[in-house]
Amino acid sequence: MGDTQALRKARGAFFTPPVLSRFIVDWAVRTPRDRVLEPSCGDAGFLVAAAERLRLLGNVGAGRVDGLHGVELHAASAAAAAERLHAIGATAEIEVGDFFDVAASAGFDAVVGNPPYVRYQSFTGSARRKGLEAALAAGVRLTGLASTWAAFTVHASRFLTVDGRLGLVLPAELLTVNYAAPVRDFLLRRFARVRLIAFHERVFPGVLEEVVLLLAEGSGGAAGFEVVHVRDVAALEASGPLVEQERSPAWSPTKRSGKWSPALVDTGLLVDHDALADDGSFLPLAHWGEVYLGSVTGANDYFALTQADVAALGIASAELLPISPPGSRHLRGISFNRADWDAAVAAGGRGFLFRPGADDPSPEALRYIAAGEQREIHTAYKCRVRRPWWRVPLVRAPDLFLTYMNHRYPRLVSNEAGVHHLNSVHGVRLRAGIEGVGRELLPLAHLNSLSLLSAEVVGRAYGGGMLKLEPREAVRWLAPSPELVNAATAPLRALRAALEGAPDRAMEDVISAVDDILLSDALGLAGSGLSRIREARRQMISRRTARSGKARAAH
């Protein structure tokens, strides 16, 4: 058809395993006269399953199954879909065009499918405008960061009858990202019952994105959503009838716009993140201070220099600024002091920021600037919009570093070296009055199971199993309150001293020791309560890291 994998990716077309199509259709289609819509139907995977389901229920009007409708942007795929359905004895109306251009008509008993998944970077121009307008028509205001599936889900719901059923394959971003908050709220307002099928293993071979199945039905006012956990697609196929019959306990966060990340753990471990801080023992990191981005150079390999670079270029120390080298591999301890910085630089780390004075660069600096222009460094986006292009704007050297791309867990590290940082890590500026205890003990105190569970909830999981914390997410990360840390000063200091004497101590042992100090001894958290928090954290880390192929147990 002249179609390629690259073209399919550009329009967000990922064809669905037949097991998923059949499962969703068998749930959504209930009578032989149901009218079924598959938006973005591709090669009609869901419509084929719907034809089989309708035939089984007795829909054989004029010898052919009818009541099937599809919309598909790609003309060749639409033609193939119509031909495929005709070959199995089904009649379908396949409209070629953009689903967002189709006026909503609430006449379908089932809307099923796998919405196109195009990230916001590529969801641009008229396509984005039409998607945002379609969502707004349903009363949902999405931000410019929303991917295609968000607007698609809202628009698709407008085609349902009052008691119709919506069955979609969606990225797990539905649960975890901030831009999906209006969609989450809309689903609970629009439908009487909302269920999610969560998988412990990847569904699409070769695709790192985690997915959930959305099963929503009826109209108006769901008290919360239900979660059914299955191991993989094979387990889903085996448990299909049970999913329809069983009603799991409904759950929703205290704030309707809150993330649904806890749904990724087994139902018995669902944790309301906001309720964790009810008694004030744990508070958002914003209570300790400000979280902010590091300096943006526009070209780290040019501006961040090694010791060997400095010697070869002959640039004077007055035109250099000591920085935490790009990345965070060297930030694995509780503190980062001058000796640690020296060691990182000696090992080849880029610990010097090229930053001559704006008015009188030295001859050596001018030669390096000229070399940068020969390499066209000055044409990079961040460089070309500043004057002069080679002088990187600085932010304040932080009290603490915060690692924001993490495989296992985020780290707070005291900046005892007093160096500046680039945007490969975040900075934390502590509030006056608590900066002393914050620098000394918060990097250790945050290594407890409740705070690390909170990081999994407020952060976002990326393909490959990475956990990312943007500043606006990090400020919601629950940390022990200053009062709790002060109350546990003596045992925390003793533990810190022990760790400095045994730097290779296993991190899970450290977390267990901090749990004993803060959660068990200081707060009196019972064994079962602590075990529940630990198991919820273990499951969330396990699900996230499983996508990287490097999953390891977290106790």
Side-chain angles (χ1 to χ4, degrees), residues 5-14 40 72-73 98 100 114-129 131-132 142-153 169-171 173 177 179 207 209:
Q5 183 176 353
L7 291 173
R8 291 193 296 271
K9 182 178 180 181
R11 64 179 188 271
F14 296 93
S40 188
E72 173 53 43
L73 180 65
D98 189 332
F100 291 129
N114 183 356
Y117 182 60
V118 179
R119 293 191 183 277
Y120 76 92
Q121 296 95 329
S122 301
F123 186 30
T124 58
S126 63
R128 175 183 290 181
R129 176 183 54 77
L132 297 182
L142 297 173
T143 73
L145 296 177
S147 299
T148 48
W149 67 266
F152 200 95
T153 300
V169 181
L170 296 179
E173 287 182 359
V177 297
Y179 77 69
V207 177
E209 185 65 41

Side-chain angles (χ1 to χ4, degrees), residues 362-438:
S362 68
E364 293 80 8
L366 288 172
R367 282 196 293 271
Y368 191 54
I369 291 169
E373 291 175 349
Q374 286 185 333
R375 292 169 54 188
E376 299 187 342
I377 301 297
H378 63 299
T379 65
Y381 171 67
K382 290 295 182 180
C383 298
R384 70 173 183 263
V385 297
R386 63 186 180 224
R387 298 291 182 273
W389 69 264
W390 39 263
R391 188 165 172 82
V392 176
L394 290 183
V395 296
R396 168 182 164 151
D399 296 310
L400 306 175
F401 298 116
L402 168 59
T403 62
Y404 78 97
M405 288 294 285
N406 307 274
H407 179 65
R408 298 301 294 166
Y409 25 65
R411 300 296 299 271
L412 285 169
V413 180
S414 179
N415 181 19
E416 295 180 7
V419 296
H420 288 262
H421 68 302
L422 303 182
N423 65 336
S424 54
V425 294
H426 297 327
V428 180
R429 179 181 182 180
L430 296 166
R431 288 197 296 113
I434 58 175
E435 68 268 35
V437 68

Side-chain angles (χ1 to χ4, degrees), residues 462-504:
Y462 274 70
M466 299 298 289
L467 176 68
K468 185 176 184 181
L469 284 170
E470 295 288 6
R472 64 178 178 175
E473 295 162 342
V475 294
R476 295 186 57 238
W477 179 20
L478 293 181
S481 68
E483 293 74 17
L484 178 58
V485 173
N486 279 321
T489 294
L492 286 172
R493 280 177 174 161
L495 177 58
R496 174 170 175 155
L499 292 177
E500 289 172 347
D504 295 329

Side-chain angles (χ1 to χ4, degrees), residues 332-333 409 411 447 452 504-512:
R332 290 295 179 263
Y409 25 65
R411 300 296 299 271
L447 293 171
L452 296 176
D504 295 329
R505 186 168 177 179
M507 187 53 63
E508 292 298 333
D509 292 340
V510 175
I511 295 168
S512 180

